[in-house]
Each structure stands twice: as structure tokens, then as C-alpha cells.
Amino acid sequence: MAIIVVEVMPKRELLDPAGKAVLGALHRSGINGFHEVRLGKRFELHVEGAVTDAHLADARTMANDLLSNGVIEDVLDVRVEDSPA
């Protein structure tokens, strides 16, 4: 079995309030080595057998039409990962 991974992130030009909240929590915890945190979404689409070009095309279509909001988010990656044993 293989997994198609879709990664979606807020558009770079938009504020990320959740990321800012995490960054604030890090700083309050004494972790100060980071200057920005951005939160996104990861979707895993499990495929029985080998991933085909049709699977990837469907995943890209889903990523743009269903899994992300094109006004505020970018689809960063659609890739195949091996399923953990």
C-alpha cells in the first residue's frame, strides 16, 4: 500500500494567527530559537497497490478543489510516500 500526501499551507502573504499563537507559546516556554511558525494541513490518501498517474491527477484535483481554500491557502506538495510497515 502507498500513501499520497497532500500538504497545504496558508498563503505566505497572509497572517497565520495559529502559527503566531504557537510561536508565543514556544517563547513563553523558554524556546527562543525560532522567529516564525506557520501551521498547515497534511492529508494522507491511502491507495491499495501501486500509485498510478490517474491517482496523482485525482489527488492534485482534490487538493485544489476540495482540500484547500485557494483564496487563503496554497497546495505546496502532492507526493507519494511508502506506507509504514
Side-chain angles (χ1 to χ4, degrees), residues 8-20 22-23 36-41 72 74:
V8 177
M9 292 293 290
K11 289 188 180 283
R12 186 49 71 188
E13 60 271 15
L14 296 179
L15 294 176
D16 183 357
K20 288 201 179 296
V22 170
L23 183 62
E36 183 180 16
V37 175
R38 296 187 64 78
L39 270 58
K41 299 183 280 190
I72 61 171
D74 288 323

Side-chain angles (χ1 to χ4, degrees), residues 1-2 46-51 55:
M1 176 171 25
H46 295 249
V47 177
E48 287 293 331
V51 174
H55 287 121

Side-chain angles (χ1 to χ4, degrees), residues 20 24 26-27 29 40 43 46 48 52-54 57 69-70 77 81:
K20 288 201 179 296
L26 291 174
H27 290 172
S29 298
F43 298 91
H46 295 249
E48 287 293 331
T52 65
D53 289 341
N69 177 343
D77 195 18
E81 285 187 1

Side-chain angles (χ1 to χ4, degrees), residues 4 52-63 78:
I4 299 174
T52 65
D53 289 341
H55 287 121
L56 286 171
D58 287 345
R60 286 186 185 96
T61 298
M62 287 172 39
V78 177

